[in-house]
Amino acid sequence: MSKRNSAVKVLVVDDQPFIVEELCEFLESRGYRSVACGSSHQAIERFNEDPDIGLVLCDLHMPGLDGIQLVLELQRLSGKHRAFEAIMLTGHADKQDVIKALRAGFADYYQKPIDLRELLEGLQRQELVLQERHKALQLGHLQYLSESIEDLYQDLDKVRRTPLSSGSGESGDEAVSEADRVEIPAIFNQLSPRQLDVARLVGKGLTNYQIACELGITENTVKLYVSQVLRLTHMHNRTQLALALSPSGSGLRQRVTAH
């Protein structure tokens, strides 16, 4: 099988040193950089230290933290900003253990003694999966950055226009904007234009999906804006927010404004 060089590192974890040595030698001969670990605690340290680790090969039954507990801890440490794929190695293929491991986040498993050719093919498949996950993470970061920059420009535009709206020579459009601003509780004036757009659409009874379609943003971004609006206005839920923005919610508005 031809050797290839991979940019991703493989974390190899097993409490039996000869297995770790054999796997690392094999992976290195096939173009993978490997990180050898004899325990789960050592694996956690290496994973934290080396962001290039993206594939994890680990034994299921180990002293201290077992393979499932290890992967769950690595998932917790990774959060939403780091991706990895894990493959389980086990000498005892108990069906319930395998099911539990797959539910915990393992992508695949191999029974010892391991067929190294099959393992290599499995690693290559998971490397492709990892590449797609990295692309999704990068797109998510770019989208968030783009929306943040757009909000910044809108906020700057709001600040630039504010002195003009207080002058005596208001145009019809400016007068309407001023009237719209007076119609809502004063506490809403601290919101950015995008946050206010989301708040108004929530007030109209639109779902997150409908708001996302209306504003051309993702549904997850809408959820983020709704959470920010509720926090900034000291409201507890969407219903309270909708009432504060409705014509009949004057009593609630007074209480919100005086909060």
Side-chain angles (χ1 to χ4, degrees):
M1 189 173 292
S2 61
K3 179 176 178 180
R4 54 188 293 279
N5 292 319
S6 173
V8 64
K9 287 185 179 180
V10 184
L11 186 68
V12 182
V13 193
D14 199 302
D15 59 319
Q16 301 183 51
F18 71 92
I19 292 180
V20 174
E21 182 179 358
E22 179 184 3
L23 287 174
C24 288
E25 287 181 358
F26 174 74
L27 293 173
E28 295 283 348
S29 71
R30 293 300 187 273
Y32 283 99
R33 295 174 295 165
S34 60
V35 179
C37 295
S39 70
S40 292
H41 293 292
Q42 184 184 17
I44 292 171
E45 292 179 2
R46 297 291 183 271
F47 186 83
N48 272 330
E49 294 168 354
D50 195 340
D52 288 338
I53 293 175
L55 295 172
V56 178
L57 288 178
C58 70
D59 188 24
L60 175 60
H61 301 290
M62 294 184 290
L65 296 179
D66 63 22
I68 293 176
Q69 292 171 318
L70 169 61
V71 167
L72 291 175
E73 178 62 15
L74 296 184
Q75 289 173 349
R76 186 189 68 82
L77 293 171
S78 299
K80 298 180 179 179
H81 307 292
R82 181 176 178 180
F84 73 94
E85 294 294 330
I87 294 176
M88 180 182 73
L89 310 176
T90 177
H92 307 285
D94 182 89
K95 182 178 179 180
Q96 293 304 316
D97 285 341
V98 171
I99 292 174
K100 184 179 179 181
L102 294 176
R103 287 176 176 172
F106 279 92
D108 207 345
Y109 78 98
Y110 292 88
Q111 187 173 0
K112 300 175 183 177
I114 301 166
D115 185 318
L116 295 179
R117 181 181 295 272
E118 289 184 0
L119 177 63
L120 180 61
E121 292 174 353
L123 275 173
Q124 291 171 347
R125 286 195 298 271
Q126 296 311 316
E127 185 178 5
L128 293 176
V129 173
L130 187 64
Q131 290 173 359
E132 293 303 314
R133 292 184 62 187
H134 282 156
K135 290 178 183 178
L137 284 175
Q138 291 170 357
L139 286 174
H141 293 327
L142 288 174
Q143 181 176 11
Y144 179 79
L145 178 61
S146 175
E147 291 172 353
S148 298
I149 292 174
E150 180 182 355
D151 286 340
L152 176 60
Y153 276 115
Q154 288 179 348
D155 291 342
L156 290 173
D157 186 62
K158 178 181 178 182
V159 171
R160 187 178 70 250
R161 292 174 180 271
T162 298
L164 298 176
S165 64
S166 61
S168 58
E170 292 181 333
S171 68
D173 291 341
E174 290 171 335
V176 171
S177 298
E178 181 69 18
D180 288 342
R181 189 154 57 91
V182 172
E183 287 178 359
I184 64 174
I187 198 169
F188 283 84
N189 291 338
Q190 66 182 305
L191 302 181
S192 70
R194 179 54 64 89
Q195 290 170 339
L196 188 56
D197 287 340
V198 171
R200 289 184 183 277
L201 293 174
V202 169
K204 293 180 180 179
L206 272 65
T207 65
N208 288 341
Y209 175 76
Q210 291 171 325
I211 295 173
C213 294
E214 180 76 18
L215 299 180
I217 57 180
T218 66
E219 191 171 354
N220 284 335
T221 303
V222 173
K223 292 177 183 178
L224 177 63
Y225 278 123
V226 171
S227 176
Q228 291 173 346
V229 169
L230 292 176
R231 176 174 54 82
L232 291 171
T233 58
H234 306 290
M235 295 186 187
H236 302 294
N237 51 54
R238 298 168 69 98
T239 301
Q240 190 177 5
L241 178 61
L243 288 173
L245 292 168
S246 67
S248 59
S250 57
L252 178 58
R253 291 181 190 178
Q254 292 173 0
R255 293 196 297 273
V256 171
T257 304
H259 184 84

mmCIF file of all heavy atoms in Angstrom, residues 9-48:
data_model
loop_
_atom_site.group_PDB
_atom_site.id
_atom_site.type_symbol
_atom_site.label_atom_id
_atom_site.label_comp_id
_atom_site.label_asym_id
_atom_site.label_seq_id
_atom_site.Cartn_x
_atom_site.Cartn_y
_atom_site.Cartn_z
ATOM 1 N N LYS A 9 -2.643 14.461 13.025
ATOM 2 C CA LYS A 9 -1.956 13.537 13.921
ATOM 3 C C LYS A 9 -2.943 12.551 14.526
ATOM 4 O O LYS A 9 -4.113 12.879 14.717
ATOM 5 C CB LYS A 9 -1.249 14.299 15.045
ATOM 6 C CG LYS A 9 -0.012 15.056 14.612
ATOM 7 C CD LYS A 9 0.685 15.668 15.816
ATOM 8 C CE LYS A 9 1.947 16.416 15.401
ATOM 9 N NZ LYS A 9 2.626 17.020 16.572
ATOM 10 N N VAL A 10 -2.429 11.358 14.843
ATOM 11 C CA VAL A 10 -3.255 10.313 15.436
ATOM 12 C C VAL A 10 -2.811 10.090 16.878
ATOM 13 O O VAL A 10 -1.634 9.808 17.135
ATOM 14 C CB VAL A 10 -3.137 8.992 14.656
ATOM 15 C CG1 VAL A 10 -4.079 7.952 15.251
ATOM 16 C CG2 VAL A 10 -3.453 9.213 13.179
ATOM 17 N N LEU A 11 -3.738 10.236 17.802
ATOM 18 C CA LEU A 11 -3.475 9.961 19.212
ATOM 19 C C LEU A 11 -3.742 8.477 19.463
ATOM 20 O O LEU A 11 -4.868 8.001 19.256
ATOM 21 C CB LEU A 11 -4.385 10.831 20.079
ATOM 22 C CG LEU A 11 -4.172 10.787 21.594
ATOM 23 C CD1 LEU A 11 -2.836 11.418 21.961
ATOM 24 C CD2 LEU A 11 -5.302 11.527 22.308
ATOM 25 N N VAL A 12 -2.731 7.734 19.881
ATOM 26 C CA VAL A 12 -2.844 6.294 20.117
ATOM 27 C C VAL A 12 -2.794 6.047 21.619
ATOM 28 O O VAL A 12 -1.798 6.370 22.269
ATOM 29 C CB VAL A 12 -1.724 5.514 19.404
ATOM 30 C CG1 VAL A 12 -1.890 4.015 19.637
ATOM 31 C CG2 VAL A 12 -1.716 5.827 17.914
ATOM 32 N N VAL A 13 -3.878 5.483 22.177
ATOM 33 C CA VAL A 13 -3.992 5.325 23.628
ATOM 34 C C VAL A 13 -4.297 3.876 23.974
ATOM 35 O O VAL A 13 -5.324 3.323 23.549
ATOM 36 C CB VAL A 13 -5.114 6.227 24.210
ATOM 37 C CG1 VAL A 13 -4.997 6.286 25.726
ATOM 38 C CG2 VAL A 13 -5.090 7.602 23.589
ATOM 39 N N ASP A 14 -3.400 3.265 24.755
ATOM 40 C CA ASP A 14 -3.618 1.889 25.221
ATOM 41 C C ASP A 14 -2.707 1.670 26.424
ATOM 42 O O ASP A 14 -1.579 2.188 26.447
ATOM 43 C CB ASP A 14 -3.288 0.878 24.118
ATOM 44 C CG ASP A 14 -3.926 -0.486 24.375
ATOM 45 O OD1 ASP A 14 -3.648 -1.071 25.444
ATOM 46 O OD2 ASP A 14 -4.697 -0.949 23.516
ATOM 47 N N ASP A 15 -3.201 0.937 27.414
ATOM 48 C CA ASP A 15 -2.386 0.694 28.605
ATOM 49 C C ASP A 15 -1.367 -0.428 28.389
ATOM 50 O O ASP A 15 -0.594 -0.745 29.296
ATOM 51 C CB ASP A 15 -3.269 0.372 29.812
ATOM 52 C CG ASP A 15 -4.136 -0.855 29.585
ATOM 53 O OD1 ASP A 15 -4.671 -1.009 28.478
ATOM 54 O OD2 ASP A 15 -4.281 -1.671 30.525
ATOM 55 N N GLN A 16 -1.344 -1.024 27.196
ATOM 56 C CA GLN A 16 -0.347 -2.040 26.860
ATOM 57 C C GLN A 16 0.691 -1.417 25.925
ATOM 58 O O GLN A 16 0.410 -1.168 24.744
ATOM 59 C CB GLN A 16 -1.012 -3.247 26.201
ATOM 60 C CG GLN A 16 -2.064 -3.919 27.082
ATOM 61 C CD GLN A 16 -2.652 -5.156 26.455
ATOM 62 O OE1 GLN A 16 -1.919 -6.049 26.014
ATOM 63 N NE2 GLN A 16 -3.984 -5.223 26.413
ATOM 64 N N PRO A 17 1.906 -1.161 26.426
ATOM 65 C CA PRO A 17 2.931 -0.419 25.661
ATOM 66 C C PRO A 17 3.266 -1.049 24.309
ATOM 67 O O PRO A 17 3.481 -0.319 23.334
ATOM 68 C CB PRO A 17 4.149 -0.444 26.591
ATOM 69 C CG PRO A 17 3.572 -0.629 27.959
ATOM 70 C CD PRO A 17 2.365 -1.501 27.778
ATOM 71 N N PHE A 18 3.293 -2.372 24.233
ATOM 72 C CA PHE A 18 3.694 -3.002 22.968
ATOM 73 C C PHE A 18 2.654 -2.750 21.874
ATOM 74 O O PHE A 18 3.005 -2.653 20.690
ATOM 75 C CB PHE A 18 3.934 -4.500 23.162
ATOM 76 C CG PHE A 18 2.698 -5.321 23.395
ATOM 77 C CD1 PHE A 18 2.034 -5.911 22.328
ATOM 78 C CD2 PHE A 18 2.185 -5.491 24.670
ATOM 79 C CE1 PHE A 18 0.891 -6.668 22.535
ATOM 80 C CE2 PHE A 18 1.045 -6.240 24.884
ATOM 81 C CZ PHE A 18 0.389 -6.826 23.828
ATOM 82 N N ILE A 19 1.370 -2.632 22.244
ATOM 83 C CA ILE A 19 0.330 -2.327 21.257
ATOM 84 C C ILE A 19 0.489 -0.899 20.754
ATOM 85 O O ILE A 19 0.388 -0.629 19.545
ATOM 86 C CB ILE A 19 -1.069 -2.539 21.868
ATOM 87 C CG1 ILE A 19 -1.304 -4.027 22.135
ATOM 88 C CG2 ILE A 19 -2.153 -1.992 20.933
ATOM 89 C CD1 ILE A 19 -2.664 -4.333 22.735
ATOM 90 N N VAL A 20 0.748 0.027 21.682
ATOM 91 C CA VAL A 20 0.953 1.425 21.301
ATOM 92 C C VAL A 20 2.151 1.543 20.366
ATOM 93 O O VAL A 20 2.099 2.215 19.325
ATOM 94 C CB VAL A 20 1.173 2.305 22.553
ATOM 95 C CG1 VAL A 20 1.534 3.736 22.147
ATOM 96 C CG2 VAL A 20 -0.072 2.305 23.429
ATOM 97 N N GLU A 21 3.240 0.837 20.703
ATOM 98 C CA GLU A 21 4.450 0.903 19.877
ATOM 99 C C GLU A 21 4.195 0.341 18.485
ATOM 100 O O GLU A 21 4.610 0.935 17.477
ATOM 101 C CB GLU A 21 5.577 0.127 20.568
ATOM 102 C CG GLU A 21 6.894 0.177 19.817
ATOM 103 C CD GLU A 21 7.990 -0.576 20.553
ATOM 104 O OE1 GLU A 21 7.732 -1.106 21.658
ATOM 105 O OE2 GLU A 21 9.114 -0.646 20.002
ATOM 106 N N GLU A 22 3.510 -0.791 18.415
ATOM 107 C CA GLU A 22 3.238 -1.412 17.122
ATOM 108 C C GLU A 22 2.364 -0.514 16.248
ATOM 109 O O GLU A 22 2.638 -0.321 15.053
ATOM 110 C CB GLU A 22 2.554 -2.763 17.330
ATOM 111 C CG GLU A 22 2.210 -3.477 16.028
ATOM 112 C CD GLU A 22 1.445 -4.780 16.243
ATOM 113 O OE1 GLU A 22 1.134 -5.102 17.404
ATOM 114 O OE2 GLU A 22 1.141 -5.449 15.228
ATOM 115 N N LEU A 23 1.311 0.065 16.850
ATOM 116 C CA LEU A 23 0.407 0.919 16.081
ATOM 117 C C LEU A 23 1.106 2.179 15.605
ATOM 118 O O LEU A 23 0.930 2.616 14.455
ATOM 119 C CB LEU A 23 -0.814 1.282 16.927
ATOM 120 C CG LEU A 23 -1.824 0.152 17.161
ATOM 121 C CD1 LEU A 23 -2.918 0.609 18.140
ATOM 122 C CD2 LEU A 23 -2.457 -0.297 15.850
ATOM 123 N N CYS A 24 1.908 2.791 16.470
ATOM 124 C CA CYS A 24 2.603 4.021 16.085
ATOM 125 C C CYS A 24 3.609 3.763 14.965
ATOM 126 O O CYS A 24 3.715 4.567 14.024
ATOM 127 C CB CYS A 24 3.304 4.629 17.304
ATOM 128 S SG CYS A 24 2.180 5.381 18.501
ATOM 129 N N GLU A 25 4.335 2.658 15.048
ATOM 130 C CA GLU A 25 5.286 2.324 13.986
ATOM 131 C C GLU A 25 4.561 2.113 12.656
ATOM 132 O O GLU A 25 5.024 2.568 11.601
ATOM 133 C CB GLU A 25 6.075 1.064 14.365
ATOM 134 C CG GLU A 25 7.106 1.292 15.457
ATOM 135 C CD GLU A 25 7.879 0.021 15.774
ATOM 136 O OE1 GLU A 25 7.572 -1.029 15.151
ATOM 137 O OE2 GLU A 25 8.776 0.072 16.627
ATOM 138 N N PHE A 26 3.427 1.433 12.719
ATOM 139 C CA PHE A 26 2.656 1.194 11.503
ATOM 140 C C PHE A 26 2.138 2.500 10.912
ATOM 141 O O PHE A 26 2.246 2.733 9.696
ATOM 142 C CB PHE A 26 1.490 0.256 11.807
ATOM 143 C CG PHE A 26 0.546 0.071 10.651
ATOM 144 C CD1 PHE A 26 0.914 -0.705 9.562
ATOM 145 C CD2 PHE A 26 -0.694 0.687 10.635
ATOM 146 C CE1 PHE A 26 0.049 -0.873 8.473
ATOM 147 C CE2 PHE A 26 -1.557 0.532 9.564
ATOM 148 C CZ PHE A 26 -1.189 -0.243 8.477
ATOM 149 N N LEU A 27 1.579 3.359 11.758
ATOM 150 C CA LEU A 27 1.029 4.624 11.275
ATOM 151 C C LEU A 27 2.116 5.518 10.684
ATOM 152 O O LEU A 27 1.914 6.150 9.635
ATOM 153 C CB LEU A 27 0.311 5.348 12.420
ATOM 154 C CG LEU A 27 -0.954 4.668 12.942
ATOM 155 C CD1 LEU A 27 -1.475 5.389 14.185
ATOM 156 C CD2 LEU A 27 -2.029 4.629 11.863
ATOM 157 N N GLU A 28 3.261 5.567 11.352
ATOM 158 C CA GLU A 28 4.367 6.381 10.838
ATOM 159 C C GLU A 28 4.825 5.861 9.476
ATOM 160 O O GLU A 28 5.163 6.643 8.585
ATOM 161 C CB GLU A 28 5.541 6.348 11.828
ATOM 162 C CG GLU A 28 5.257 6.983 13.188
ATOM 163 C CD GLU A 28 5.275 8.499 13.151
ATOM 164 O OE1 GLU A 28 5.726 9.070 12.131
ATOM 165 O OE2 GLU A 28 4.822 9.119 14.132
ATOM 166 N N SER A 29 4.805 4.542 9.289
ATOM 167 C CA SER A 29 5.223 3.967 8.007
ATOM 168 C C SER A 29 4.227 4.259 6.899
ATOM 169 O O SER A 29 4.545 4.125 5.718
ATOM 170 C CB SER A 29 5.407 2.447 8.149
ATOM 171 O OG SER A 29 4.148 1.795 8.295
ATOM 172 N N ARG A 30 3.007 4.643 7.271
ATOM 173 C CA ARG A 30 1.961 4.949 6.291
ATOM 174 C C ARG A 30 1.697 6.451 6.161
ATOM 175 O O ARG A 30 0.704 6.871 5.585
ATOM 176 C CB ARG A 30 0.659 4.238 6.672
ATOM 177 C CG ARG A 30 0.743 2.716 6.577
ATOM 178 C CD ARG A 30 1.087 2.277 5.150
ATOM 179 N NE ARG A 30 1.023 0.830 4.983
ATOM 180 C CZ ARG A 30 2.031 -0.005 5.221
ATOM 181 N NH1 ARG A 30 3.187 0.481 5.658
ATOM 182 N NH2 ARG A 30 1.898 -1.300 5.034
ATOM 183 N N GLY A 31 2.588 7.269 6.721
ATOM 184 C CA GLY A 31 2.491 8.715 6.512
ATOM 185 C C GLY A 31 1.720 9.477 7.561
ATOM 186 O O GLY A 31 1.459 10.676 7.392
ATOM 187 N N TYR A 32 1.326 8.828 8.643
ATOM 188 C CA TYR A 32 0.625 9.507 9.733
ATOM 189 C C TYR A 32 1.598 9.821 10.867
ATOM 190 O O TYR A 32 2.392 8.965 11.267
ATOM 191 C CB TYR A 32 -0.499 8.631 10.293
ATOM 192 C CG TYR A 32 -1.736 8.585 9.440
ATOM 193 C CD1 TYR A 32 -1.963 7.513 8.586
ATOM 194 C CD2 TYR A 32 -2.691 9.597 9.503
ATOM 195 C CE1 TYR A 32 -3.109 7.450 7.799
ATOM 196 C CE2 TYR A 32 -3.836 9.548 8.716
ATOM 197 C CZ TYR A 32 -4.038 8.474 7.870
ATOM 198 O OH TYR A 32 -5.164 8.419 7.100
ATOM 199 N N ARG A 33 1.518 11.026 11.378
ATOM 200 C CA ARG A 33 2.258 11.350 12.597
ATOM 201 C C ARG A 33 1.441 10.851 13.782
ATOM 202 O O ARG A 33 0.225 11.063 13.829
ATOM 203 C CB ARG A 33 2.474 12.855 12.712
ATOM 204 C CG ARG A 33 3.364 13.434 11.617
ATOM 205 C CD ARG A 33 3.417 14.937 11.698
ATOM 206 N NE ARG A 33 2.105 15.521 11.426
ATOM 207 C CZ ARG A 33 1.768 16.785 11.710
ATOM 208 N NH1 ARG A 33 2.637 17.579 12.303
ATOM 209 N NH2 ARG A 33 0.571 17.239 11.418
ATOM 210 N N SER A 34 2.088 10.203 14.725
ATOM 211 C CA SER A 34 1.364 9.603 15.845
ATOM 212 C C SER A 34 1.857 10.161 17.176
ATOM 213 O O SER A 34 2.992 10.619 17.294
ATOM 214 C CB SER A 34 1.518 8.082 15.834
ATOM 215 O OG SER A 34 2.880 7.720 15.942
ATOM 216 N N VAL A 35 0.966 10.124 18.164
ATOM 217 C CA VAL A 35 1.290 10.547 19.529
ATOM 218 C C VAL A 35 0.949 9.379 20.445
ATOM 219 O O VAL A 35 -0.217 8.992 20.559
ATOM 220 C CB VAL A 35 0.489 11.807 19.930
ATOM 221 C CG1 VAL A 35 0.827 12.210 21.358
ATOM 222 C CG2 VAL A 35 0.757 12.951 18.963
ATOM 223 N N ALA A 36 1.958 8.804 21.085
ATOM 224 C CA ALA A 36 1.774 7.602 21.895
ATOM 225 C C ALA A 36 1.419 7.959 23.331
ATOM 226 O O ALA A 36 2.040 8.825 23.944
ATOM 227 C CB ALA A 36 3.050 6.759 21.865
ATOM 228 N N CYS A 37 0.404 7.267 23.872
ATOM 229 C CA CYS A 37 -0.025 7.491 25.256
ATOM 230 C C CYS A 37 -0.337 6.151 25.916
ATOM 231 O O CYS A 37 -0.952 5.281 25.297
ATOM 232 C CB CYS A 37 -1.266 8.380 25.310
ATOM 233 S SG CYS A 37 -0.998 10.057 24.717
ATOM 234 N N GLY A 38 0.077 6.025 27.186
ATOM 235 C CA GLY A 38 -0.171 4.794 27.921
ATOM 236 C C GLY A 38 -1.333 4.871 28.873
ATOM 237 O O GLY A 38 -1.637 3.887 29.563
ATOM 238 N N SER A 39 -2.002 6.035 28.932
ATOM 239 C CA SER A 39 -3.153 6.186 29.829
ATOM 240 C C SER A 39 -4.058 7.289 29.311
ATOM 241 O O SER A 39 -3.641 8.134 28.505
ATOM 242 C CB SER A 39 -2.692 6.535 31.247
ATOM 243 O OG SER A 39 -2.164 7.850 31.291
ATOM 244 N N SER A 40 -5.292 7.299 29.808
ATOM 245 C CA SER A 40 -6.240 8.331 29.394
ATOM 246 C C SER A 40 -5.818 9.709 29.881
ATOM 247 O O SER A 40 -5.975 10.712 29.173
ATOM 248 C CB SER A 40 -7.632 7.988 29.924
ATOM 249 O OG SER A 40 -8.141 6.842 29.285
ATOM 250 N N HIS A 41 -5.291 9.775 31.093
ATOM 251 C CA HIS A 41 -4.875 11.078 31.631
ATOM 252 C C HIS A 41 -3.733 11.674 30.813
ATOM 253 O O HIS A 41 -3.705 12.885 30.544
ATOM 254 C CB HIS A 41 -4.472 10.922 33.102
ATOM 255 C CG HIS A 41 -5.614 10.568 34.008
ATOM 256 N ND1 HIS A 41 -6.639 11.458 34.281
ATOM 257 C CD2 HIS A 41 -5.908 9.426 34.666
ATOM 258 C CE1 HIS A 41 -7.513 10.879 35.096
ATOM 259 N NE2 HIS A 41 -7.096 9.644 35.339
ATOM 260 N N GLN A 42 -2.798 10.829 30.391
ATOM 261 C CA GLN A 42 -1.724 11.307 29.535
ATOM 262 C C GLN A 42 -2.283 11.745 28.180
ATOM 263 O O GLN A 42 -1.845 12.759 27.612
ATOM 264 C CB GLN A 42 -0.680 10.210 29.339
ATOM 265 C CG GLN A 42 0.528 10.656 28.524
ATOM 266 C CD GLN A 42 1.509 9.526 28.264
ATOM 267 O OE1 GLN A 42 1.165 8.345 28.406
ATOM 268 N NE2 GLN A 42 2.730 9.874 27.886
ATOM 269 N N ALA A 43 -3.276 11.021 27.678
ATOM 270 C CA ALA A 43 -3.890 11.366 26.390
ATOM 271 C C ALA A 43 -4.568 12.727 26.445
ATOM 272 O O ALA A 43 -4.497 13.513 25.496
ATOM 273 C CB ALA A 43 -4.909 10.291 25.999
ATOM 274 N N ILE A 44 -5.230 13.030 27.559
ATOM 275 C CA ILE A 44 -5.896 14.325 27.711
ATOM 276 C C ILE A 44 -4.871 15.456 27.674
ATOM 277 O O ILE A 44 -5.081 16.490 27.033
ATOM 278 C CB ILE A 44 -6.699 14.354 29.027
ATOM 279 C CG1 ILE A 44 -7.885 13.384 28.926
ATOM 280 C CG2 ILE A 44 -7.188 15.765 29.341
ATOM 281 C CD1 ILE A 44 -8.607 13.166 30.236
ATOM 282 N N GLU A 45 -3.729 15.240 28.336
ATOM 283 C CA GLU A 45 -2.677 16.256 28.336
ATOM 284 C C GLU A 45 -2.136 16.482 26.923
ATOM 285 O O GLU A 45 -1.974 17.630 26.484
ATOM 286 C CB GLU A 45 -1.538 15.822 29.261
ATOM 287 C CG GLU A 45 -1.910 15.807 30.738
ATOM 288 C CD GLU A 45 -0.752 15.349 31.604
ATOM 289 O OE1 GLU A 45 0.343 15.082 31.049
ATOM 290 O OE2 GLU A 45 -0.932 15.247 32.830
ATOM 291 N N ARG A 46 -1.857 15.393 26.210
ATOM 292 C CA ARG A 46 -1.321 15.520 24.850
ATOM 293 C C ARG A 46 -2.344 16.181 23.920
ATOM 294 O O ARG A 46 -1.990 16.987 23.059
ATOM 295 C CB ARG A 46 -0.949 14.142 24.300
ATOM 296 C CG ARG A 46 0.151 13.451 25.086
ATOM 297 C CD ARG A 46 1.491 14.164 24.896
ATOM 298 N NE ARG A 46 2.545 13.463 25.601
ATOM 299 C CZ ARG A 46 2.891 13.686 26.868
ATOM 300 N NH1 ARG A 46 2.264 14.641 27.554
ATOM 301 N NH2 ARG A 46 3.861 13.005 27.439
ATOM 302 N N PHE A 47 -3.597 15.835 24.071
ATOM 303 C CA PHE A 47 -4.649 16.411 23.232
ATOM 304 C C PHE A 47 -4.740 17.920 23.453
ATOM 305 O O PHE A 47 -4.905 18.687 22.499
ATOM 306 C CB PHE A 47 -5.988 15.751 23.576
ATOM 307 C CG PHE A 47 -7.127 16.149 22.678
ATOM 308 C CD1 PHE A 47 -7.322 15.529 21.457
ATOM 309 C CD2 PHE A 47 -8.020 17.139 23.058
ATOM 310 C CE1 PHE A 47 -8.375 15.885 20.626
ATOM 311 C CE2 PHE A 47 -9.076 17.502 22.241
ATOM 312 C CZ PHE A 47 -9.247 16.872 21.019
ATOM 313 N N ASN A 48 -4.644 18.349 24.684
ATOM 314 C CA ASN A 48 -4.696 19.786 24.993
ATOM 315 C C ASN A 48 -3.492 20.530 24.445
ATOM 316 O O ASN A 48 -3.597 21.678 24.027
ATOM 317 C CB ASN A 48 -4.776 19.992 26.509
ATOM 318 C CG ASN A 48 -6.195 19.976 27.024
ATOM 319 O OD1 ASN A 48 -7.127 20.353 26.316
ATOM 320 N ND2 ASN A 48 -6.385 19.529 28.243
#
